[in-house]
Amino acid sequence: MEPMEKVWEILLSADKKDYERICIEYGITDFRGMLRRLTEMKKEKEREIAQFISHISSLKPIEVSHDDCATIELDMDLKDPSSKVFLYKDGVMVPFSEDLGTEQKHFLKQVGKKYVFTIKNLSSQDAGLYSVDVEGVNVFSTDFKVPSVDFAVKMLEVKAEERQDALFQCVLTAPLDELKWFGKNAPLINDEKHEIIVSEDKLIHKLIVRDCMPLDAGIYAAVAGIKSCNAWLIVEDPGVHFHAALSDCKAIVGEAAEIQCKLSREDCEGNWYKDGEELKSSEDITISKEGSFHRLKIHKVTEEHAGKYRFEADGRKTEAVIVVEDPPRFDTEELKTFTTPITVKKGQKATFKLAYIGREPFKVQWYHEGEELSDETNIKIEHTDGCSRLLLNKLQRKDSGEIKIKIKNEFGIIEALSQLTVLAYPGPPSAPKIVSAFKDCINLSWSPPSNTGGTNILGYNLEKRKKGSNLWGPVNPPDEMIKGKGYAVKDVIEGLEYEFRVAAINNSGAGESSAPSEFVFARDPKKPPGKVIDLKVTDSTYTTLSLSWNPPKEIKGVEDEAKAYFVEIRPAENPEWDRCNTNAIIMTTYTVKGMKSMAMYWVRVIATNDGGAGESQELDNYILAMPPPVRPRFTDAKIKSFMVVRAGNSARFNINFEASPWPEVTWLKDGAPVSKRVTISNAEGASQLFIASAERSDTGIYIVVVKNIVGQETFSIEIRVTDEPKPPGPVETDEHVPGTVTISWEPSPDEKRDDRLHYMVTKRDSNKRTWHTVADHIFNNKFTACNIMPGREYQFRVYAKNDMGSSKPIESPKWSVSSKKEKFVLNIPETKACNLERPPKFIVPLKTHTAPQGYECYMSCAIRGEPTPHVTWLRNNISLNTNTNYYISNTCGVCSLLILRVGPKDTGEYKVIAENPLGRAECSTKLTVRE
């Protein structure tokens, strides 16, 4: 097949997302031209396929398993079941068998509409372009690439004690991003149980099995390209040990304390010790056992309970230290009294008192609003045995606030808070509001203070300040307070901008001033502004709408400049407008929130200034509360398309997507709506399929369809519900061909309802007495075993297998063939003298090597010659035969050189010279050392 024909065949079977990658890989630069031609070719190919196939799907590329097999899998619905299916490799037809037990390299398994081609005993020669044809029409092609990688160091058997971690490790001959790891025939991934590690040079690959349990024991395998290796994990019982040891404990005097440990077995007893002396349950100590937990509880801790405690069981022990502490503590009732707030009048005194217990010495500190207090004229602090008192005299309003006591000893710190309130002056009124403004008068109003200081408000003082000035000046004379809650300020200059503040007055005097008012010009009222310009929608979601606009134009004497804006919306079914912002905004953008998804709204914006509100500007059309249209798209990076579930367990599949507007989500099973046993849960951007207790009838192809007005997207997952199969029926043996025996059996009861069920046959003979597998993945009820020797007794076992595991075996009757002894006659032919002498010749030359620095490098070649040639190794034409840094060997003509740790000094040309009396031969290579 020509190279471009191979590229076109690969592209015709590839997904669109892979086109550009394949074109770059094969050097195609005219991507658009290729795409147009590829579209025409695909349409033509679809017409050809439709002659013989009504449906084709699940076209999976070649996958390699850990048993040195590769599979090509696809689903086809043939219009004519008798249509012939062919397999090609690089354009050459490949013969295949439908019986996996035969010695044929290629095997086809058909279960219903599913076709699975298997390539056994993989080697580098199996790389190439594989095609599947039906009646001469190509339906599927895939390029099988075999990376040139092997195991330099294979996995070794690992022994681990129960609850310990186990490490498997292997070294490759070439870098590889990742291996396929298998544990007891199941693929493994990074999870809480298994950790997969790859070194920076991608040569060393590790698998860690966490927290080993007896169920984790078995064979673990690694697959690199078409090469694999495996090793056993043996989990050993370590005997009695501590699952949880004792921990050091801090105990408080007068309170209870407990320490405990947990053993690996519930039937094991133990003993408790304190400072070397054995302990028993008493009035103040209780020793108890509950299952594998052993506990020691102290009911009321005293200082005598401090010390080192030890628990011993079955020769093992664990220790902990109990430290007894006596920190400061308050009496509950006294603390409740202390924390009750105290309110006094200005000039009076307040007393705070609190008792405490704990080990001396104590450090006692009092705080007011976070600042530490000390003895002063109006502050008195007294300490007596186990009690402290704070006395505050001549209190002022500024003395109001938080009172805190803090007590500290060597074991800890304790604090308690109280609140002091001193009554005096009134609080600030509200900020003055501008009622109206003219060139010679500004009218104000305000609200009284919420805190009157405990007495009636007598009046108010009003102050003003020009914009840009730091000085406040009185508005009313000091001896003429304002009686009402408003005032007309006439002492203003036209054109200047002012702000105002007000203070309330009670019997104690004037209180704090209010916050300042807004700035206001001393000028006659303005004209309302006009309509805003270029009102438009900048963004939208299901619940929000973002708007922008430009200020209205100013027309002197008709429409003044806009100062702020209001945004209003009206649902299509409601005649009333709702204002979105309570306070006017000065920005020319706004986001409306709290809209109902997919509801229709009318929107308008109103400009306003000191002269009032202008005319509103509406959008030309109503607005739908929804984001910009987005075609449905699945957002999961990797979605599983196949799931195996044990019968009786729950099945759950989640899928995430994005779409706008909100899409309709539909689930189908094998093209029909799902049954009532299946629960579908939809949320924003996600959908879940859930089967509470799966049955075999739930097996099938489930398709989710996400559809909106923009388009639709689908995804399918195959869910297979199965269980460990029941064993097959009785086994019979028969001989049809001498030297063979045919084993047949009744099918397993699960065969009809499980299309992936198959059989495995094992054999044992009277010489070896051990069972070993002779055939696996058998999809019929018969198998022929070869190499049956006369005079031996054979027995066979048959297992049913599926995705969940294997059944119990069914054994065959014993089979034997009596040996017929014949007289052995030895005919010795006449011998002729043969000259075997020949000059040296390399039958396997040296290969070029590239090795990472610090790793070993192994070179080898094969030489033939008689008499046996003398071999000399050289590097850069210098002999290495006597160099102890290199390990040189010559076994039966295989000559090898080993460098344990390669360094930059080892770079260069390596040569092997073989000599005998009949001639001389040379072979050379180069070694490159990389970082």
Side-chain angles (χ1 to χ4, degrees):
M1 182 180 289
E2 294 298 323
M4 279 309 297
E5 294 180 3
K6 176 179 179 180
V7 176
W8 284 111
E9 196 162 334
I10 294 172
L11 287 169
L12 284 170
S13 299
D15 291 334
K16 288 184 179 179
K17 65 181 185 308
D18 295 326
Y19 288 169
E20 189 169 357
R21 175 185 59 77
I22 297 172
C23 289
I24 294 174
E25 184 177 343
Y26 287 95
I28 298 176
T29 56
D30 186 10
F31 179 69
R32 293 186 178 177
M34 178 280 300
L35 195 58
R36 287 194 298 270
R37 183 179 173 193
L38 187 62
T39 302
E40 296 172 359
M41 293 178 68
K42 278 210 166 187
K43 290 181 179 179
E44 179 62 29
K45 181 177 178 180
E46 289 172 357
R47 287 193 291 269
E48 291 180 353
I49 294 175
Q51 301 176 47
F52 306 102
I53 300 174
S54 59
H55 176 73
I56 184 169
S57 64
S58 299
L59 306 177
K60 296 183 179 178
I62 293 182
E63 294 185 353
V64 178
S65 64
H66 66 285
D67 52 0
D68 290 338
C69 291
T71 58
I72 307 172
E73 184 175 327
L74 63 160
D75 290 348
M76 291 191 301
D77 190 0
L78 299 179
K79 291 184 176 180
D80 182 0
S82 63
S83 296
K84 294 185 178 179
V85 181
F86 302 94
L87 179 65
Y88 292 84
K89 175 179 177 291
D90 295 330
V92 179
M93 184 184 294
V94 176
F96 58 81
S97 169
E98 295 185 359
D99 185 359
L100 187 63
T102 64
E103 296 182 357
Q104 194 83 19
K105 185 175 181 64
H106 301 86
F107 162 72
L108 170 64
K109 169 194 171 185
Q110 179 186 355
V111 180
K113 300 176 183 179
K114 187 178 293 294
Y115 293 77
V116 181
F117 287 94
T118 302
I119 308 169
K120 302 186 295 185
N121 303 322
L122 291 174
S123 67
S124 57
Q125 285 73 29
D126 292 316
L129 179 67
Y130 286 83
S131 303
V132 177
D133 287 15
V134 176
E135 293 293 348
V137 176
N138 175 252
V139 297
F140 176 57
S141 299
T142 183
D143 194 14
F144 183 32
K145 296 181 179 179
V146 178
S148 56
V149 63
D150 200 349
F151 289 91
V153 178
K154 294 187 176 182
M155 296 163 53
L156 299 176
E157 179 184 282
V158 175
K159 292 183 179 180
E161 288 189 354
E162 188 178 337
R163 313 301 300 198
Q164 288 186 342
D165 295 345
L167 170 65
F168 289 99
Q169 177 173 297
C170 58
V171 182
L172 303 181
T173 58
L176 195 64
D177 288 338
E178 61 180 11
L179 299 183
K180 291 182 180 179
W181 290 93
F182 295 85
K184 299 190 291 188
N185 295 326
L188 303 179
I189 60 172
N190 262 319
D191 54 23
E192 293 182 357
K193 186 68 178 178
H194 306 95
E195 181 180 0
I196 297 173
I197 302 173
V198 183
S199 64
E200 290 186 5
D201 58 12
K202 299 181 180 179
L203 292 174
I204 302 175
H205 294 252
K206 300 177 181 179
L207 170 67
I208 299 176
V209 183
R210 301 288 188 195
D211 193 21
C212 289
M213 301 297 290
L215 289 176
D216 297 320
I219 294 180
Y220 287 75
V223 177
I226 61 172
K227 300 293 184 179
S228 66
C229 66
N230 57 65
W232 276 89
L233 169 60
I234 300 173
V235 180
E236 299 176 334
D237 183 3
V240 175
H241 59 279
F242 287 99
H243 278 181
L246 294 178
S247 298
D248 290 347
C249 172
K250 289 185 179 181
I252 306 299
V253 171
E255 298 181 3
E258 181 179 280
I259 55 175
Q260 68 174 13
C261 60
K262 183 182 179 183
L263 294 175
S264 59
R265 293 196 345 227
E266 295 186 3
D267 60 345
C268 191
E269 300 293 338
N271 298 316
W272 289 90
Y273 298 88
K274 176 182 179 293
D275 297 332
E277 295 184 4
E278 186 174 357
L279 295 176
K280 299 293 183 181
S281 291
S282 61
E283 292 183 358
D284 58 341
I285 294 179
T286 298
I287 294 175
S288 62
K289 174 181 179 295
E290 183 178 344
S292 57
F293 285 92
H294 294 258
R295 296 183 177 90
L296 183 146
K297 182 175 182 181
I298 304 172
H299 303 297
K300 189 173 183 180
V301 174
T302 63
E303 294 187 0
E304 287 74 20
H305 291 115
K308 181 183 289 186
Y309 289 77
R310 183 174 79 251
F311 179 77
E312 294 184 356
D314 198 24
R316 296 178 180 263
K317 65 180 179 180
T318 176
E319 295 181 340
V321 175
I322 293 182
V323 178
V324 176
E325 298 183 347
D326 193 5
R329 302 182 300 284
F330 297 130
D331 179 76
T332 305
E333 291 299 323
E334 289 206 16
L335 180 63
K336 185 176 180 181
T337 302
F338 176 83
T339 56
T340 303
I342 294 179
T343 302
V344 298
K345 293 183 179 181
K346 179 181 177 183
Q348 294 181 340
K349 65 180 180 179
T351 302
F352 296 87
K353 180 180 178 183
L354 188 59
Y356 50 87
I357 59 174
R359 185 187 297 178
E360 296 183 350
F362 295 102
K363 181 179 180 181
V364 182
Q365 296 167 286
W366 289 90
Y367 295 86
H368 173 257
E369 286 295 307
E371 293 187 6
E372 187 173 359
L373 301 177
S374 58
D375 282 332
E376 295 180 8
T377 304
N378 59 334
I379 300 175
K380 185 69 174 178
I381 299 175
E382 298 176 350
H383 301 299
T384 58
D385 190 16
C387 184
S388 183
R389 187 177 77 148
L390 170 67
L391 177 63
L392 302 175
N393 295 309
K394 299 179 181 179
L395 290 169
Q396 303 295 320
R397 185 178 59 176
K398 63 182 179 62
D399 296 322
S400 297
E402 180 186 83
I403 300 296
K404 180 173 73 174
I405 183 174
K406 180 178 179 182
I407 302 176
K408 178 180 180 181
N409 69 2
E410 62 177 307
F411 298 110
I413 300 173
I414 192 169
E415 297 178 349
L417 301 176
S418 187
Q419 195 72 27
L420 172 64
T421 303
V422 180
L423 300 177
Y425 295 99
S430 66
K433 291 184 178 180
I434 310 300
V435 178
S436 60
F438 301 92
K439 64 182 179 181
D440 55 0
C441 180
I442 298 175
N443 294 305
L444 305 172
S445 69
W446 56 85
S447 298
S450 58
N451 176 18
T452 64
T455 60
N456 294 329
I457 300 297
L458 303 178
Y460 300 91
N461 284 335
L462 183 64
E463 294 179 305
K464 68 178 181 181
R465 181 170 66 177
K466 298 175 184 177
K467 189 171 185 180
S469 173
N470 293 325
L471 299 177
W472 290 92
V475 173
N476 58 296
D479 55 347
E480 296 181 11
M481 68 180 70
I482 300 172
K483 300 292 186 179
K485 296 187 285 293
Y487 194 76
V489 182
K490 297 182 178 180
D491 184 18
V492 292
I493 300 173
E494 182 181 2
L496 293 184
E497 198 171 3
Y498 295 90
E499 64 177 339
F500 302 89
R501 70 183 184 184
V502 65
I505 303 171
N506 66 5
N507 291 329
S508 299
E512 294 182 18
S513 297
S514 68
S517 68
E518 296 181 350
F519 280 100
V520 60
F521 282 98
R523 61 188 179 190
D524 289 339
K526 285 192 170 186
K527 300 288 185 181
K531 291 184 178 181
V532 301
I533 303 172
D534 295 332
L535 175 61
K536 59 185 176 182
V537 177
T538 58
D539 194 13
S540 63
T541 68
Y542 288 114
T543 59
T544 65
L545 177 69
S546 296
L547 303 169
S548 71
W549 60 87
N550 289 325
K553 294 182 179 179
E554 183 178 357
I555 304 175
K556 195 167 185 179
V558 180
E559 295 173 347
D560 283 341
E561 178 186 8
K563 186 177 181 181
Y565 305 91
F566 289 103
V567 178
E568 295 182 339
I569 63 170
R570 177 174 67 83
E573 70 279 3
N574 192 337
E576 299 295 329
W577 288 92
D578 293 324
R579 182 159 288 183
C580 301
N581 53 315
T582 305
N583 298 319
I585 59 171
I586 61 173
M587 304 293 292
T588 56
T589 59
Y590 187 77
T591 299
V592 181
K593 299 180 180 179
M595 304 176 74
K596 294 182 179 179
S597 175
M598 300 304 292
M600 293 190 301
Y601 293 90
W602 292 97
V603 183
R604 70 184 185 185
V605 176
I606 302 171
T608 184
N609 61 13
D610 294 336
E615 189 177 352
S616 64
Q617 175 64 59
E618 294 186 20
L619 287 173
D620 295 334
N621 297 307
Y622 64 82
I623 297 298
L624 272 177
M626 59 171 283
V630 175
R631 177 186 173 87
R633 182 179 72 87
F634 296 113
T635 57
D636 296 288
K638 294 182 180 180
I639 315 177
K640 296 189 297 183
S641 60
F642 181 75
M643 180 188 296
V644 178
V645 181
R646 185 185 293 273
N649 288 358
S650 63
R652 189 189 308 270
F653 178 74
N654 295 290
I655 192 164
N656 298 311
F657 56 84
E658 62 179 18
S660 176
W662 180 253
E664 177 186 358
V665 181
T666 306
W667 284 88
L668 303 173
K669 176 179 179 288
D670 297 330
V674 296
S675 66
K676 294 182 179 180
R677 299 186 66 258
V678 179
T679 301
I680 304 298
S681 302
N682 295 323
E684 184 175 355
S687 184
Q688 181 190 80
L689 178 145
F690 178 70
I691 305 173
S693 180
E695 298 176 356
R696 289 182 183 266
S697 60
D698 295 318
T699 296
I701 304 295
Y702 290 79
I703 300 175
V704 59
V705 182
V706 183
K707 181 179 180 181
N708 65 5
I709 59 175
V710 186
Q712 75 175 32
E713 192 67 36
T714 62
F715 182 80
S716 62
I717 176 175
E718 180 180 355
I719 297 179
R720 181 173 297 278
V721 183
T722 184
D723 206 339
E724 291 183 358
K726 294 182 177 61
V731 180
E732 297 181 357
T733 52
D734 195 8
E735 180 183 60
H736 299 294
V737 178
T740 68
V741 60
T742 299
I743 305 100
S744 59
W745 56 88
E746 291 296 320
S748 166
D750 294 323
E751 183 177 302
K752 293 182 179 179
R753 56 182 181 178
D754 192 343
D755 59 358
R756 294 172 71 91
L757 184 138
H758 54 278
Y759 299 95
M760 178 178 75
V761 179
T762 62
K763 180 182 73 174
R764 180 176 70 177
D765 62 38
S766 54
N767 277 21
K768 296 183 180 179
R769 306 303 298 172
T770 57
W771 293 93
H772 66 277
T773 303
V774 294
D776 200 352
H777 295 88
I778 303 173
F779 286 87
N780 54 23
N781 307 119
K782 184 182 293 185
F783 172 72
T784 301
C786 303
N787 300 324
I788 302 301
M789 306 295 294
R792 295 186 185 180
E793 190 174 65
Y794 295 87
Q795 195 170 11
F796 300 89
R797 284 179 177 173
V798 180
Y799 299 79
K801 298 175 67 177
N802 64 6
D803 294 319
M804 281 293 131
S806 59
S807 70
K808 293 181 180 179
I810 296 296
E811 292 190 3
S812 70
K814 293 183 178 179
W815 173 271
S816 63
V817 178
S818 59
S819 60
K820 299 178 180 179
K821 295 185 178 180
E822 298 181 356
K823 185 176 181 181
F824 178 73
V825 179
L826 177 62
N827 296 320
I828 302 176
E830 294 182 3
T831 59
K832 295 182 179 179
C834 180
N835 184 8
L836 299 177
E837 292 185 347
R838 62 182 69 183
K841 180 181 179 181
F842 285 90
I843 56 176
V844 177
L846 291 170
K847 294 182 180 179
T848 304
H849 291 269
T850 300
Q853 184 173 332
Y855 286 74
E856 69 175 28
C857 179
Y858 181 80
M859 303 181 187
S860 64
C861 60
I863 305 170
R864 182 177 64 191
E866 183 64 32
T868 302
H870 176 266
V871 177
T872 304
W873 285 82
L874 302 98
R875 182 175 70 83
N876 296 336
N877 293 322
I878 298 174
S879 175
L880 303 176
N881 282 28
T882 59
N883 193 326
T884 57
N885 293 326
Y886 300 88
Y887 295 89
I888 297 174
S889 63
N890 184 355
T891 306
C892 299
V894 178
C895 301
S896 62
L897 179 143
L898 175 63
I899 309 173
L900 287 179
R901 293 178 63 85
V902 173
K905 61 180 178 60
D906 298 307
T907 302
E909 182 185 49
Y910 286 76
K911 185 185 295 183
V912 179
I913 300 177
E915 299 174 290
N916 72 1
L918 299 180
R920 184 175 185 269
E922 292 185 3
C923 181
S924 64
T925 186
K926 288 186 177 180
L927 170 61
T928 303
V929 179
R930 62 180 175 84
E931 290 294 332

